[in-house]
Amino acid sequence: QLQLVESGGGLVQSGGSLRLSCAASGLTLVPYAIGWFRQAPGKEREAILCISGSDGRTDFADSVKGRFTVSRDNAKNTAYLQMNSLKFEDTAVYFCAAYYGAGCTIYKAYDYWGQGTQVTVSS
């Protein structure tokens, strides 16, 4: 069973940057697409972006285009979310997730989930 653990969340001021990590264990991440999601207090979970395991394809939500970048290091079995130009409305619990298969899309059900890491952006 693939297990995912997020880290790197914290408090940052508006306009700042954070990098979140998603470390996998149990199985190699290589054949899995990795997605990032977030859930703000009182709101439904939102799909943000994803990256494929084999060809580097990505998909982005409009809310993060130009500010967030997704990447992965298969040698470390870890995926990353680089968040720049953070805004107050980016405050949320951020989750990484995975599904087995080629390509990448945020418009899909993901099978494996991490526990989430809190990102708080101050004004």
Side-chain angles (χ1 to χ4, degrees):
Q1 179 92 352
L2 181 67
Q3 295 180 311
L4 305 173
V5 178
E6 302 94 337
S7 63
L11 176 65
V12 62
Q13 69 179 37
S14 180
S17 299
L18 281 176
R19 188 177 81 158
L20 306 184
S21 298
C22 177
S25 61
L27 298 170
T28 177
L29 271 180
V30 172
Y32 291 85
I34 305 298
W36 286 93
F37 300 77
R38 66 186 181 186
Q39 187 166 21
K43 298 182 179 180
E44 294 185 350
R45 188 172 61 207
E46 174 191 14
I48 302 170
L49 41 65
C50 66
I51 183 169
S52 68
S54 59
D55 58 11
R57 294 178 63 185
T58 58
D59 195 14
F60 294 85
D62 289 340
S63 60
V64 303
K65 285 183 178 179
R67 300 190 299 120
F68 290 11
T69 301
V70 62
S71 63
R72 62 194 297 162
D73 186 339
N74 287 333
K76 295 182 177 180
N77 222 28
T78 302
Y80 303 95
L81 175 62
Q82 179 66 47
M83 304 185 294
N84 300 322
S85 301
L86 283 163
K87 305 174 181 179
F88 177 76
E89 54 263 39
D90 294 320
T91 296
V93 177
Y94 283 72
F95 301 87
C96 66
Y99 68 85
Y100 186 94
C104 163
T105 177
I106 60 174
Y107 307 106
K108 187 188 185 299
Y110 283 68
D111 301 310
Y112 306 96
W113 292 82
Q115 82 292 338
T117 185
Q118 177 70 48
V119 172
T120 302
V121 183
S122 62
S123 60

